[in-house]
């Protein structure tokens, strides 16, 4: 049984790595020093959405004036634009790799089910 569990874990890891490679693209990282980085756009979008959730609270619940509001409202505007751009990139990736992504997700789901059953 241990061998079957390890087999499932092995395939899950390999399939997840393949998905990561599919979703990894070169993006411009804007910071004090701009640079191009290879990143998984799904992870960048998750990080961006976290910022969006936090920044939007100020917009919905805060007083819409002052230095802090202005600063974070600019961040919110940039985060919204970033989310739109990332979603476009993800959509393109998913269109170009639809069959591969579908097949990987089917296998991942089945290996995870089997792993759950074997672990009980």
């Amino acid at each position: 049984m241990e061998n079957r569990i390890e087999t499932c874990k092995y395939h899950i890891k390999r399939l997840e790595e393949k998905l990561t490679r599919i979703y990894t693209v070169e993006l411009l990282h804007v910071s004090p020093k701009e640079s191009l980085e290879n990143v998984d756009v799904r992870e960048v979008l998750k990080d961006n959405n976290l910022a969006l959730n936090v920044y939007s609270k100020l917009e919905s619940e805060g007083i819409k004036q002052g230095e802090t509001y202005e600063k974070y409202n600019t961040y919110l505007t940039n985060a919204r634009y970033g989310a739109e751009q990332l979603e476009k990139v993800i959509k393109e990736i998913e269109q170009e790799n639809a069959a591969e992504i579908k097949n990987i997700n089917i296998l991942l789901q089945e290996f995870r089910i089997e792993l759950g059953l074997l672990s009980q």
Side-chain angles (χ1 to χ4, degrees):
M1 174 130 98
E2 187 67 31
N3 190 34
R4 287 180 283 174
I5 290 172
E6 290 307 313
T7 298
C8 287
K9 287 180 179 180
Y10 170 83
H11 287 288
I12 289 169
K13 183 177 187 229
R14 296 293 177 252
L15 290 164
E16 286 173 343
E17 289 171 350
K18 186 160 181 137
L19 268 182
T20 297
R21 285 192 303 275
I22 290 170
Y23 283 99
T24 297
V25 297
E26 193 171 67
L27 287 181
L28 179 64
H29 178 72
V30 180
S31 62
K33 195 176 196 180
E34 289 186 352
S35 62
L36 289 174
E37 295 181 4
N38 287 324
V39 294
D40 181 340
V41 287
R42 299 169 303 168
E43 295 302 315
V44 176
L45 183 58
K46 285 178 190 175
D47 294 344
N48 191 79
N49 286 341
L50 173 89
L52 267 174
N53 290 337
V54 172
Y55 301 157
S56 66
K57 283 293 187 184
L58 190 60
E59 181 181 63
S60 65
E61 298 177 17
I63 298 171
K64 295 182 174 117
Q65 63 184 32
E67 183 182 329
T68 300
Y69 173 79
E70 293 301 324
K71 180 179 180 177
Y72 282 88
N73 192 53
T74 299
Y75 292 168
L76 176 61
T77 300
N78 292 337
R80 284 182 176 145
Y81 177 76
E84 290 172 10
Q85 298 307 308
L86 290 166
E87 288 167 357
K88 286 179 186 177
V89 170
I90 289 170
K91 185 176 181 178
E92 288 174 14
I93 289 169
E94 289 174 344
Q95 287 175 340
E96 291 171 13
N97 298 281
E100 197 67 18
I101 292 169
K102 175 75 173 175
N103 289 333
I104 290 169
N105 285 324
I106 289 168
L107 290 169
L108 278 171
Q109 180 179 348
E110 292 306 310
F111 278 120
R112 288 178 178 139
I113 289 169
E114 288 300 320
L115 184 59
L117 294 173
L118 293 171
S119 298
Q120 293 178 0

